[in-house]
Amino acid sequence: MSSKKSSGISCQGATSITTFADFLCSKISPALCQAVYEKTAIAIARDMRIKVQDFGGNRAQLEVCILKYLAQEESFEKFRRYLYSPREFFQEYIKKLVHEYCLDKNRRLEMFLNDSLTHYYENIQSAVFTSTRVIKDRNDRSDKISLWLDEFCSSLKEVLSLPRKDLKSIEHLKVTDIEFLNNAVTEALAPLHDELKQGFANADLNSFGRQPHTILAEQCAGCWEQCPFCGALCTNTLANHDGDHQLVFHRPNVLTGYKWYKTDNLVIDICSSSVASECLFRIGEDKWIPYKKYREAGPPYSTWNILPDPSMKAYWKWFVCHFRTQLEKWFNGKFQGKGEIPDAWKKITKQEVLSQLDKF
Ligand SMILES: [Zn+2]
Ligand SMILES: [Zn+2]
């Protein structure tokens, strides 16, 4: 009789311990998955900053890499997107690099995810052992399970989002053999690990809440103001910097669609030479401002410091020549009259342009 009874209790105990372990794992699973993706996104961004040349410097250096890429691709559509909305183009470009880095034949994404999983899985296992060690001899207490859960959640609080209150429904379980519980939880964790790992084989970048390219884009941030004449980006590395916006190499004003007044002649001059000229520019319907006093046009002009400098990068000379037809069509104008392209520009080769960029 007595042996039957004790076997009955043990059986019931075993069932409830299994229920306990399964319930606990059902709460750990989504928290673990989320933690793995968060850690992996940061790890990928960190790794790419070290290993991918494009991220080796500040945003201005990243832009040099973008210009190089654009020249290599020779796609006017891509140039158009870059010139029209540089900020979005940067995002798109970074996203492309992350995609290549993570999902090429090396499948680094899966490797990064598995590394993070191993890291957190070990944390969880060690939290199970620690909690068991701390609680197992507390024979003075009848609420050992509740104590075990307190200990377990608190040792994982820096690791997983596993609120203790979500485990209230299992804290009243009557279990005296904590070692038995320890083993049941450890056993239940193993399939959880394997299931997540299997899922990682098909993971893509959309599986992330906060994607690695978003983190990289934030780290490569800077001022996104564009020169009101040529559209080039301010090169300040701070988003809300003090003082004027500034940049070194301005671009031919045709890139923002400038034309000479009452003609269809596109403007190939750069702003930094215009500000030293006798020319005027128009704002609104008929207000004319001398380039020399461009700040008097008010914002955004007044927030820029454009130093007189006639030097223009060969890059934009090549670009204007190479995409002449497309630019004429885009801005509904012509490279003629005052916008006649100098012969010297036409001799510049893409190779020269690329090697000039390498010198940055
Ligand atoms: Zn400019
Ligand atoms: Zn700025």
Side-chain angles (χ1 to χ4, degrees):
M1 267 302 263
S2 81
S3 86
K4 230 180 184 178
K5 197 181 168 192
S6 90
S7 121
I9 288 165
S10 150
C11 206
Q12 192 185 28
T15 313
S16 50
I17 282 180
T18 311
T19 313
F20 174 91
D22 288 346
F23 183 84
L24 183 61
C25 285
S26 76
K27 293 289 171 190
I28 291 173
S29 176
L32 173 59
C33 191
Q34 191 193 339
V36 165
Y37 275 104
E38 279 170 15
K39 183 181 166 62
T40 301
I42 295 167
I44 291 171
R46 191 192 301 125
D47 202 56
M48 288 187 72
R49 280 196 73 109
I50 298 167
K51 296 183 186 149
V52 179
Q53 193 210 347
D54 302 57
F55 301 110
N58 58 19
R59 206 210 43 212
Q61 276 151 295
L62 173 60
E63 189 166 30
V64 170
C65 295
I66 289 183
L67 291 176
K68 214 182 281 182
Y69 161 76
L70 285 169
Q72 273 154 354
E73 293 280 303
E74 276 188 50
S75 150
F76 185 71
E77 178 50 29
K78 284 183 182 161
F79 266 110
R80 210 183 53 77
R81 286 209 307 275
Y82 162 70
L83 294 169
Y84 191 72
S85 41
R87 194 173 188 165
E88 280 73 41
F89 194 86
F90 268 73
Q91 285 264 358
E92 201 181 302
Y93 180 76
I94 295 172
K95 197 170 178 177
K96 179 185 90 73
L97 292 188
V98 172
H99 200 274
E100 286 166 3
Y101 192 72
C102 293
L103 297 169
D104 68 359
K105 60 178 172 13
N106 297 314
R107 288 282 309 168
R108 288 194 188 86
L109 177 60
E110 198 179 335
M111 187 195 78
F112 278 115
L113 287 166
N114 286 334
D115 283 353
S116 306
L117 176 62
T118 305
H119 171 83
Y120 284 132
Y121 190 70
E122 282 168 5
N123 279 172
I124 296 171
Q125 276 179 319
S126 104
V128 171
F129 298 140
T130 311
S131 312
T132 303
R133 200 181 58 237
V134 173
I135 304 305
K136 71 173 182 203
D137 297 325
R138 294 291 302 269
N139 291 326
D140 55 319
R141 298 282 292 255
S142 61
D143 56 348
K144 271 176 152 180
I145 288 282
S146 182
L147 287 181
W148 190 94
L149 287 170
D150 290 347
E151 194 64 35
F152 184 69
C153 289
S154 101
S155 60
L156 285 176
K157 74 173 182 297
E158 305 292 327
V159 179
L160 295 185
S161 160
L162 187 68
R164 173 66 179 84
K165 65 174 169 39
D166 291 358
L167 305 173
K168 271 200 149 339
S169 65
I170 51 169
E171 73 182 17
H172 300 297
L173 193 74
K174 290 281 169 252
V175 176
T176 43
D177 189 353
I178 288 290
E179 290 284 359
F180 188 43
L181 175 125
N182 179 87
N183 299 342
V185 173
T186 309
E187 264 172 46
L189 279 172
L192 181 84
H193 173 273
D194 297 345
E195 220 169 87
L196 282 175
K197 196 174 160 139
Q198 252 170 29
F200 294 159
N202 301 314
D204 62 27
L205 293 160
N206 294 320
S207 316
F208 288 86
R210 189 162 170 259
Q211 294 199 22
H213 77 87
T214 311
I215 298 172
L216 277 164
E218 279 167 14
Q219 291 172 349
C220 297
C223 179
W224 289 103
E225 285 298 315
Q226 291 176 257
C227 170
F229 296 111
C230 71
L233 288 170
C234 169
T235 47
N236 200 297
T237 49
L238 294 173
N240 295 305
H241 60 87
D242 292 329
D244 293 326
H245 302 295
Q246 211 167 341
L247 63 97
V248 184
F249 295 108
H250 288 267
R251 302 169 179 178
N253 288 183
V254 58
L255 300 190
T256 52
Y258 269 82
K259 279 179 232 168
W260 289 97
Y261 187 54
K262 286 196 169 162
T263 72
D264 66 351
N265 300 172
L266 296 162
V267 176
I268 58 165
D269 305 54
I270 50 174
C271 0
S272 49
S273 22
S274 301
V275 294
S277 73
E278 298 302 324
C279 293
L280 307 164
F281 64 98
R282 190 176 55 145
I283 51 169
E285 278 303 300
D286 55 358
K287 195 171 173 202
W288 290 89
I289 312 276
Y291 266 101
K292 278 184 176 166
K293 296 179 175 173
Y294 70 89
R295 281 177 187 267
E296 287 175 12
Y301 304 92
S302 54
T303 64
W304 277 82
N305 182 16
I306 303 172
L307 298 168
D309 176 8
S311 51
M312 189 193 306
K313 282 268 147 223
Y315 190 92
W316 296 111
K317 296 176 182 173
W318 168 81
F319 171 75
V320 165
C321 296
H322 194 78
F323 292 108
R324 178 191 179 127
T325 320
Q326 290 91 331
L327 284 165
E328 287 182 334
K329 199 170 159 216
W330 186 18
F331 295 116
N332 194 23
K334 289 272 176 244
F335 287 106
Q336 60 187 28
K338 285 185 170 180
E340 185 81 46
I341 298 174
D343 285 339
W345 291 23
K346 296 171 190 159
K347 296 194 184 94
I348 298 166
T349 64
K350 186 165 98 173
Q351 204 42 52
E352 281 165 8
V353 163
L354 288 173
S355 52
Q356 194 183 54
L357 282 177
D358 276 330
K359 289 188 198 116
F360 270 89

